[in-house]
Amino acid sequence: MSSFSEVVERRATREEIDRTEFHVWYPELKDFTFRSEIIRLGSDFVSFIKEDGFVIPPHLGDNYSSNWDSSDDEDGEVTTANPAQRDQSNWFVELDREFQRCLQRLGGHAFLKTNWSAPLDVPWMTMGSLKVTSLRDIYLQLKSSDRVMFDFEHMYDYCEDGGSSEPSCPIVVLRKWVNLLPSMELRLFIRNGQLVGICQRDCSSYYPFMGSKFP
């Protein structure tokens, strides 16, 4: 039997990380979770998301509120793109249409994530909510989240078999919006088909009633 130190020091392989991607497990578990729409991303869009600053694509027009049309400066405000500054063929009109179609199929309200992570670090920019109702919300969350950047740039950094740190199939997932109570979200740990552990998902908060559920 391996010692505890050997288990802790073992690094995951790229194949093991790949098995945890949303689009890998969702088809098998879709009957037991929220309806989701998976949108595959091209390398040009991923590069755009990685770029510094927040530039509004000009074709979005009124999808953005008027208080987002000022220059991108030290205050982190947003600028409307000048079409002359970028080849218009590089804007993502078709992808945005797919985002809108998926959002409509989900009833107009969704929760966004990428291959592995959700942008849980951006509520301070989104009025305290992660609800997506427009293209503006999608762009804002993708461009503002360090968690999203980690998915696109660093997920494989510490794999024992090395290689590129970028996912081979970057995606955006729109999931049907449901109001969940953080206190009722749990992580389940399964090994060889057997449940071996349970813990609360929100490890930063203490919920007194949880003590009676899990002594």
Side-chain angles (χ1 to χ4, degrees):
M1 179 179 296
S2 300
S3 67
F4 178 75
S5 62
E6 290 175 333
V7 173
V8 170
E9 292 174 359
R10 181 186 179 279
R11 293 184 177 183
T13 65
R14 296 182 65 87
E15 180 182 3
E16 289 170 335
I17 297 295
D18 288 343
R19 290 175 185 171
T20 65
E21 289 185 271
F22 184 91
H23 65 276
V24 173
W25 62 259
Y26 177 73
E28 296 185 21
L29 299 176
K30 64 182 181 180
D31 293 336
F32 305 97
T33 187
F34 311 118
R35 178 180 175 181
S36 303
E37 300 283 345
I38 299 172
I39 304 101
R40 296 180 184 271
L41 306 177
S43 58
D44 53 347
F45 184 79
V46 174
S47 296
F48 168 72
I49 294 301
K50 291 179 181 180
E51 291 175 3
D52 292 336
F54 194 141
V55 178
I56 297 175
H59 65 273
L60 296 187
D62 292 338
N63 283 298
Y64 288 81
S65 58
S66 59
N67 62 331
W68 288 82
D69 61 1
S70 53
S71 297
D72 188 5
D73 56 21
E74 294 179 3
D75 294 327
E77 295 180 331
V78 181
T79 179
T80 300
N82 180 348
Q85 295 176 341
R86 186 186 184 108
D87 182 352
Q88 289 193 12
S89 65
N90 289 334
W91 294 113
F92 312 102
V93 179
E94 289 303 319
L95 180 61
D96 288 343
R97 288 173 180 165
E98 182 64 16
F99 283 145
Q100 290 177 315
R101 285 192 291 264
C102 291
L103 193 56
Q104 291 171 357
R105 288 197 290 266
L106 295 171
H109 306 281
F111 175 77
L112 181 150
K113 66 177 300 175
T114 46
N115 295 55
W116 296 274
S117 306
L120 302 179
D121 53 338
V122 302
W124 63 278
M125 292 193 66
T126 56
M127 304 298 290
S129 174
L130 291 175
K131 182 185 291 187
V132 170
T133 61
S134 66
L135 287 174
R136 171 190 179 278
D137 295 334
I138 293 174
Y139 273 79
L140 179 60
Q141 292 192 21
L142 289 175
K143 290 288 289 185
S144 304
S145 175
D146 290 337
R147 292 171 60 90
V148 167
M149 288 301 99
F150 189 88
D151 274 15
F152 290 159
E153 294 183 326
H154 300 293
M155 182 57 71
Y156 298 98
D157 280 1
Y158 301 103
C159 288
E160 64 177 17
D161 44 355
S164 172
S165 291
E166 300 180 5
S168 59
C169 180
I171 61 172
V172 161
V173 182
L174 295 179
R175 312 201 70 190
K176 184 176 178 61
W177 178 262
V178 178
N179 288 315
L180 297 175
L181 294 175
S183 62
M184 299 302 294
E185 294 184 73
L186 304 174
R187 292 189 184 277
L188 307 181
F189 299 88
I190 298 173
R191 184 174 185 180
N192 297 327
Q194 298 295 318
L195 180 65
V196 297
I198 302 175
C199 75
Q200 66 188 65
R201 186 175 184 181
D202 179 11
C203 297
S204 63
S205 302
Y206 173 68
Y207 302 103
F209 76 90
M210 294 292 284
S212 61
K213 300 295 183 181
F214 304 103

